[in-house]
Amino acid sequence: MMVSSPFTGPQRPGAGLPRLPTPPSGWPIGSYSTYEEAQRAVDFLADSQFPVQDVTIVGVDLMLVERVIARLTWGKVVGTGAASGAWFGLFVGVLLSLFNTTGSAFGPILVGLVTGVVFGVVFAAAGYASTRGSRDFSSASQLVAGRYDVLCQPRHAEQGRDLLAKLAMKPGESQPE
């Protein structure tokens, strides 16, 4: 069985992934200021037939960054609550209309839509009112690192360093720190 995710790629069961959180191991073979650069380096190693199962990307100096998106007002809160409730109500209404054998198919859709709007507004307003003005903005949070180190198990570290040195010498490619 192969396990895959957009962050780790294909993995064999029991192939080096610890079951419990553990610190990374290996020797540093490159250090980059952005995750994109570290990912590009590992992709270069993979394209060079390097055993990338021995490689780990480690974010160092982690920070939680909260970016403020907009100021919240009662109008925005009620409007977004109504919109999200309308979508959910519409979805439920369409599902109910599929099983409706009597009358019009639009009745359940309309009831679902109106009920969704009402509940969306009530829940959004209750949530906003509970903050009592202490959070009058919306934001998005991200966990970012100050730098990204590429580590490799000792048996292939020297070969990995040599390959990443070739990548750094390519014109137009990003340089490691």
Side-chain angles (χ1 to χ4, degrees):
M1 177 176 105
M2 296 291 280
V3 179
S4 181
S5 89
F7 304 108
T8 60
Q11 295 288 332
R12 294 183 317 271
L17 289 180
R19 292 183 178 261
L20 296 173
T22 57
S25 63
W27 293 354
I29 60 173
S31 187
Y32 302 89
S33 58
T34 66
Y35 178 76
E36 182 182 26
E37 292 170 342
Q39 189 177 17
R40 188 179 308 120
V42 174
D43 187 50
F44 178 78
L45 291 173
D47 292 345
S48 301
Q49 306 305 312
F50 184 82
V52 291
Q53 63 273 15
D54 286 348
V55 174
T56 304
I57 299 174
V58 180
V60 180
D61 298 330
L62 295 180
M63 302 172 259
L64 178 65
V65 178
E66 184 175 13
R67 291 188 171 83
V68 176
I69 298 171
R71 181 176 180 269
L72 283 183
T73 63
W74 275 105
K76 286 182 183 177
V77 169
V78 169
T80 56
S84 65
W87 279 113
F88 185 71
L90 184 64
F91 173 70
V92 171
V94 167
L95 287 179
L96 290 175
S97 72
L98 294 175
F99 300 104
N100 184 20
T101 58
T102 61
S104 171
F106 294 110
I109 293 174
L110 187 59
V111 169
L113 183 66
V114 171
T115 305
V117 167
V118 169
F119 276 99
V121 167
V122 167
F123 285 120
Y128 184 62
S130 70
T131 66
R132 295 191 176 130
S134 66
R135 187 161 171 96
D136 285 340
F137 61 92
S138 61
S139 64
S141 296
Q142 253 184 332
L143 191 62
V144 296
R147 74 171 194 274
Y148 297 87
D149 291 341
V150 178
L151 306 181
C152 181
Q153 293 304 310
R155 63 181 167 260
H156 295 109
E158 187 176 341
Q159 178 189 6
R161 267 192 220 108
D162 291 345
L163 285 169
L164 292 182
K166 290 178 184 175
L167 174 65
M169 288 189 274
K170 283 187 172 184
E173 294 290 332
S174 60
Q175 302 290 325
E177 289 182 348

